[in-house]
Amino acid sequence: MNWRAELLDQLVFYWEHNLEPALAGLTDEEFHWEPVPGCWTVRVGEDGAPAIDWQWPAPEPPPFTTIAWRLAHIAIPVLGLRASNHFGDGSLTLENAPWPITAEAGVGLVREQYRAWREGVAALDDAALLRPVGPAEGPWAEHDMATLVLHINREVIHHGAEIALLRDLYRARFTSG
């Protein structure tokens, strides 16, 4: 069995058949729509720079998040930081991330980081999939790269499905009686 191909196929299939189509036509209004009060989102901060609402650990219960937040989460902490740390120069951080404040920028950023992650995983051989991920993954440093790839796949699928659902709810609010 070619494990790298299986791991990639899972993510690529989801991307091509679910997430990428779900992002088509995303508007700025949908991107920033707050279906409930107190949502976490991506906004222009007091200093005029884009910023994401964030707290670690997250409060219990965690705040509801907008499409903007979820898309930025997939793009930066899920895909971007991992691609930078494992396949790039490690320079991307939460502090210097280009948090997107428009739908176009958010979709573009998640596409860019998806490509970087996908290309990095595609270059792994069996030995690389079995090596520990190292200090970039903090307390999970001893887990192997295949475990990280599976985790990233789950995160993209999970948050991507939430984005698709939020788009359905946004659309339905204009068509329900």
Side-chain angles (χ1 to χ4, degrees):
M1 173 167 292
N2 182 336
W3 282 105
R4 182 194 65 224
E6 293 297 322
L7 293 167
L8 268 177
D9 286 350
Q10 182 185 54
L11 181 62
V12 170
F13 182 89
Y14 177 75
W15 179 268
E16 291 177 356
H17 297 281
N18 297 100
L19 186 53
E20 182 73 18
L23 298 175
L26 181 66
T27 67
D28 287 346
E29 187 175 328
E30 286 176 281
F31 185 70
H32 288 290
W33 176 54
E34 295 189 19
V36 298
C39 284
W40 274 3
T41 193
V42 179
R43 64 184 89 244
V44 176
E46 293 177 13
D47 62 356
I52 191 167
D53 295 326
W54 189 264
Q55 179 183 327
W56 187 257
E60 285 294 329
F64 200 84
T65 57
T66 64
I67 291 173
W69 191 96
R70 292 163 199 252
L71 202 54
H73 178 69
I74 294 170
I76 301 298
V78 174
L79 295 169
L81 293 179
R82 273 41 184 270
S84 179
N85 288 330
H86 296 288
F87 310 123
D89 63 6
S91 63
L92 182 64
T93 67
L94 292 176
E95 292 75 28
N96 70 13
W99 301 111
I101 58 169
T102 67
E104 181 180 8
V107 171
L109 183 62
V110 81
R111 284 178 179 147
E112 174 189 327
Q113 298 304 334
Y114 163 74
R115 280 191 298 274
W117 175 254
R118 185 193 67 218
E119 289 168 7
V121 173
L124 297 173
D125 60 17
D126 289 347
L129 285 170
L130 296 175
R131 271 197 291 279
V133 292
E137 297 302 326
W140 299 277
E142 295 305 314
H143 286 89
D144 57 54
M145 181 59 85
T147 300
L148 177 62
V149 173
L150 286 169
H151 170 68
I152 297 305
N153 288 359
R154 281 191 310 265
E155 283 285 296
V156 171
I157 292 167
H158 166 83
H159 292 296
E162 292 172 332
I163 290 167
L165 175 62
L166 282 169
R167 292 203 73 194
D168 288 344
L169 291 171
Y170 179 85
R171 184 181 63 249
R173 77 185 190 120
F174 294 109
T175 59
S176 60

